[in-house]
Amino acid sequence: MTSAAVTDLAIATNEHLASLSNTLIYSAMAVYTLAFFAYITEWIFGSRSKIGRTAAALTPAQRGKAPAVTVRKAGATAVLERPQVVVRAAAGARDVPDGPGAHGGDEQGDLYGRIAVSLTVLAFLVELAGVVARAASVERAPWGNMYEFNITFSTVAVGVYLTLLALRKNVRWLGLFLITTVLLDLGIAVTVLYTASDQLVPALHSYWLYIHVSTAILCGAVFYVGAVATILYLFKDSYENKLANGGEPGRFATSFLERLPASASLDKFSYRVNAAVFPLWTFTIIAGAIWAGDAWGRYWGWDPKETWAFITWVAYACYLHARATAGWKGRKAAYLALIAFGCWLFNYYGVNIFVSGKHSYAGV
């Protein structure tokens, strides 16, 4: 076989892989859509359950030792002790139990929730195959432009969620919000950010691409999970404050928010995930500086991307410091966390699309 024939075969193979990647990404979107409806159904069935409302209505004394429950089964009567409600609130916080979850204790709701998780796993595997096919089509890491970054980012975000579930963390309530934004992210990727397979610009030809960009993607995925928990914390905290002050939240707010973890649990969860990934974000910036030194002969030049990466680092550092300071726990620290994530989002989308610089690799 002549060299020209080999080249033509390689080109045809790469085009086939690129087409396969596109097909897999669209297929993943279809499965994610099914998962989205399954999560919605879980929440709908959960809204019928009275378990969450009963748990929320218990007084502190009842939470410690609730009355016994009489159960009739097969013509016999048995007296069971009501199980103690596990309280996740931190010391000094409101004594509020975690909600039962999106299914609200409803068996059908729980069934749809498990179906939703199964569909999420399937969609994750299909999308991961699409990312791998894209990488094979360009014979490099699939992070050369915003389209590739987006499909990889959403894959990693779902992977973080599934990993937490595998570790038996109580995070299934996150599924609906995660899948909604993943569908939006993939929709933007295939319509606005799509770029045909191509080779890297010269500055990206480095092993630092695998180190720097992979850690940036992982950090963004974890920051996203923390941001969702922070937003839900603000809603749940307002709900608990209203109840504590004798107010009556609306029926929808009651049905939705009572099934979430307590505000103290959401606050703790968001703090822990942000704190856990912050050192990796620090390493990401250092790795980028080393890569810049190799590629451009200087470690730091206040390029827009470098500047906003540093601003994001400062914002998260302020949040972690404030969260560890007694006077800044709670809502004030949560607002800082959302500002920090906003800086990361602008660094992710805004700088690449709207600002010109040495990191302008959006391809749109």
Side-chain angles (χ1 to χ4, degrees), residues 246-263:
E248 294 185 6
R251 184 175 179 180
F252 175 79
T254 300
S255 174
F256 172 75
L257 293 172
E258 71 186 1
R259 286 178 276 162
L260 293 175
S263 62

Side-chain angles (χ1 to χ4, degrees), residues 287-321:
I290 296 173
W291 187 8
D294 290 343
W296 301 315
R298 50 74 171 168
Y299 293 102
W300 196 267
W302 296 105
D303 181 76
K305 193 76 169 179
E306 298 168 348
T307 302
W308 276 96
F310 179 69
I311 291 174
T312 302
W313 184 91
V314 171
Y316 273 107
C318 290
Y319 159 71
L320 293 176
H321 175 73

Side-chain angles (χ1 to χ4, degrees), residues 124-211:
F124 166 76
L125 294 175
V126 174
E127 186 181 11
L128 179 61
V131 173
V132 172
R134 176 74 177 199
S137 72
V138 292
E139 300 177 353
R140 57 170 172 77
W143 310 319
N145 50 62
M146 280 294 291
Y147 169 73
E148 295 173 356
F149 197 94
N150 262 42
I151 61 175
T152 306
F153 170 76
S154 59
T155 305
V156 174
V158 176
V160 170
Y161 167 66
L162 295 177
T163 300
L164 291 173
L165 286 177
L167 294 174
R168 299 187 181 278
K169 303 298 182 181
N170 177 27
V171 294
R172 203 166 83 186
W173 47 267
L174 182 65
L176 176 61
F177 312 99
L178 173 69
I179 298 307
T180 301
T181 49
V182 164
L183 283 171
L184 290 173
D185 180 73
L186 290 176
I188 293 173
V190 300
T191 57
V192 178
L193 301 176
Y194 181 77
T195 306
S197 299
D198 200 359
Q199 295 304 308
L200 293 172
V201 297
L204 295 181
H205 283 284
S206 172
Y207 62 89
W208 283 104
L209 173 69
Y210 297 90
I211 301 173

Side-chain angles (χ1 to χ4, degrees), residues 9 21 77 197 204 235 254 271 276 289 295 303 353 363:
L9 178 60
S21 173
T77 301
S197 299
L204 295 181
F235 281 104
T254 300
Y271 170 68
D303 181 76
I353 296 175

Side-chain angles (χ1 to χ4, degrees), residues 342-364:
C343 293
W344 188 90
L345 276 181
F346 182 78
N347 189 38
Y348 177 28
Y349 283 107
V351 172
N352 281 348
I353 296 175
F354 303 113
V355 181
S356 298
K358 289 183 176 294
H359 291 79
S360 300
Y361 307 131
V364 295

